[in-house]
Amino acid sequence: MVAVKLILKRLLKGLVIAGPPYIAFTDLFYVVRTVDGISMQPTLNPDGDNIDFVLLNRWSTTDIERGDIISLISPKDPTTWLIKRVVALEGDQVKADSCFEEICDVPKGHCWVEGDNRKCSMDSNNFGPVSLGLVTAKATHVIWPPSRWGTLDKKEVTGDRVTLREQVQRGKVFFGWEQ
Amino acid sequence: MASPFVVLGKSVIYTVSGFSTLYCTLKFIGGFGRCEDVSMEPTIQHGDLVWISPISVNFQRLQKGDVVFCKSPKSPKAIICKRLIGMEGDTVFNDEKGYEEYVDNGQIWLEGDNKDYSIDSRSYGPLPYGLIVSKVALRLWPLSRFGFIEPGKQPANLNEQPAKLNEL
């Protein structure tokens, strides 16, 4: 009885001491999370079984470039995280991949995110450009399964759909992307 | 007599644990904040010290009329302080642009109390809920105005969400 009590006490003490550093570490530096869904095929979950684990880098959310894979809070549902690829940054012009093919200016402080699997992805083509404040982390490595262990490379999404900020034709009087 | 290395190790562990606890408390439960904005006058004036409670954001306990700290949609490092006017499903009349706007799923409508000097949802539209940082619960300093933040009056431009057809 005494031994059980001692073990329980030790366990509780360990939890109290190790819990807050763990939460702080996952909030500030790195966190490992699973990937749900098929919107990032073929980069993540290529076989459609939700077993992929990715390492998310939480302190480099300020320097986001085109082609990075990021995780963000869904603008439609604040309790879920999405994982998408950045296609365009502020100032760029994107031709949306919807039935209207309207041309969107990405406003200041926003970015345009898309899944690699364009047919089954809920992304900026549905909800428009997202604010950079919603970005929670940058995905850098695949942790599991071991056969695909490695870094997640940047993939520049070139193509005629994105016009870079330097090449956008604007009128003579231009006040920035304050829309 | 314990070895000095054990003492050193223990003190390092306890220090890290203590600082992490402090960080988690300030980040997730509650802490102090200073408002550097005139858009919420007269409720919160420039330089007021307030008590903020992120816990009510994480557990989705926000109500219409609460004052919240929110990340600015244009620059993720700036924080704005506004009043929550409408939540998902509401229709708000935008008196700057002159038409009604629908607040979609997972979005909110923020407005400042100081209508003339506030850049808020009237100019950049509804914001995603994920941008909210914390609720502002108490005004701490100056002491003469210490107290809870009053929930705002029912705004004139808000249409509550209509009864859903399948509930009738």
Side-chain angles (χ1 to χ4, degrees):
Chain A
M1 234 10 242
V2 179
V4 171
K5 247 186 191 171
L6 197 70
I7 290 173
L8 275 179
K9 207 177 160 189
R10 287 250 170 106
L11 206 68
L12 202 69
K13 199 180 162 192
L15 272 181
V16 167
I17 288 181
Y22 170 73
I23 297 173
F25 187 79
T26 57
D27 195 66
L28 282 173
F29 301 111
Y30 290 99
V31 63
V32 175
R33 287 188 73 147
T34 57
V35 179
D36 259 348
I38 56 168
S39 73
M40 280 302 278
Q41 279 176 347
T43 318
L44 299 169
N45 281 343
D47 304 325
D49 41 1
N50 296 331
I51 52 163
D52 274 25
F53 284 75
V54 286
L55 181 71
L56 302 175
N57 182 342
R58 300 212 58 174
W59 44 266
S60 68
T61 53
T62 44
D63 51 333
I64 287 166
E65 293 164 16
R66 294 179 198 92
D68 281 340
I69 297 180
I70 57 167
S71 75
L72 66 152
I73 302 171
S74 165
K76 298 270 180 191
D77 176 12
T79 54
T80 58
W81 284 20
L82 309 174
I83 181 157
K84 303 281 176 226
R85 196 183 287 277
V86 179
V87 171
L89 294 174
E90 57 178 22
D92 297 348
Q93 269 185 352
V94 188
K95 191 194 273 182
D97 194 8
S98 59
C99 43
F100 301 114
E101 294 206 333
E102 72 268 30
I103 291 184
C104 287
D105 270 306
V106 182
K108 198 175 169 227
H110 286 61
C111 62
W112 188 275
V113 292
E114 279 183 8
D116 283 0
N117 184 7
R118 275 295 310 118
K119 284 173 193 154
C120 307
S121 172
M122 180 80 181
D123 51 31
S124 280
N125 294 305
N126 305 90
F127 46 69
V130 289
S131 171
L132 287 179
L134 290 176
V135 177
T136 52
K138 195 195 269 185
T140 52
H141 293 79
V142 178
I143 302 279
W144 192 263
S147 55
R148 288 188 295 107
W149 193 89
T151 55
L152 283 167
D153 291 326
K154 258 194 340 197
K155 198 173 82 184
E156 203 71 43
V157 187
T158 48
D160 49 353
R161 287 186 46 225
V162 181
T163 317
L164 298 190
R165 154 179 17 174
E166 294 82 18
Q167 292 150 9
V168 176
Q169 301 284 323
R170 299 183 201 276
K172 259 184 190 169
V173 182
F174 174 59
F175 299 104
W177 319 291
E178 301 285 339
Q179 291 301 310
Chain B
M1 184 72 192
S3 137
F5 291 107
V6 174
V7 175
L8 190 70
K10 270 198 174 175
S11 54
V12 166
I13 289 174
Y14 282 125
T15 314
V16 169
S17 183
F19 274 110
S20 313
T21 313
L22 188 69
Y23 173 80
C24 292
T25 314
L26 291 179
K27 178 86 193 264
F28 299 113
I29 295 173
F32 301 99
R34 184 175 280 277
C35 201
E36 305 272 348
D37 208 352
V38 291
S39 65
M40 277 303 287
E41 285 181 9
T43 316
I44 296 173
Q45 288 172 13
H46 176 78
D48 278 8
L49 193 67
V50 288
W51 177 260
I52 58 177
S53 61
I55 194 166
S56 49
V57 177
N58 299 335
F59 287 96
Q60 312 235 346
R61 291 281 157 79
L62 288 182
Q63 289 170 338
K64 283 172 218 166
D66 284 347
V67 177
V68 293
F69 275 4
C70 180
K71 285 182 202 161
S72 165
K74 293 192 176 158
S75 54
K77 282 188 180 159
I79 300 285
I80 55 176
C81 177
K82 306 279 176 220
R83 195 180 285 281
L84 190 63
I85 298 287
M87 299 185 80
E88 55 186 24
D90 295 339
T91 317
V92 183
F93 183 74
N94 187 338
D95 44 8
E96 210 166 73
K97 293 186 174 158
Y99 49 81
E100 281 201 329
E101 285 197 55
Y102 178 68
V103 185
D104 212 340
N105 274 356
Q107 293 190 315
I108 47 159
W109 188 271
L110 298 179
E111 275 183 31
D113 279 6
N114 198 357
K115 301 275 182 209
D116 303 334
Y117 296 98
S118 164
I119 300 170
D120 44 35
S121 281
R122 291 173 297 168
S123 58
Y124 38 60
L127 300 179
Y129 189 97
L131 285 180
I132 303 181
V133 177
S134 61
K135 178 189 165 183
V136 180
L138 266 174
R139 208 188 297 107
L140 298 175
W141 193 266
L143 274 181
S144 56
R145 293 188 292 111
F146 180 90
F148 285 102
I149 309 255
E150 309 82 14
K153 293 194 280 295
Q154 173 77 15
N157 55 356
L158 171 71
N159 279 335
E160 291 281 342
Q161 54 194 84
K164 284 180 189 142
L165 281 178
N166 51 14
E167 284 175 3
L168 293 176

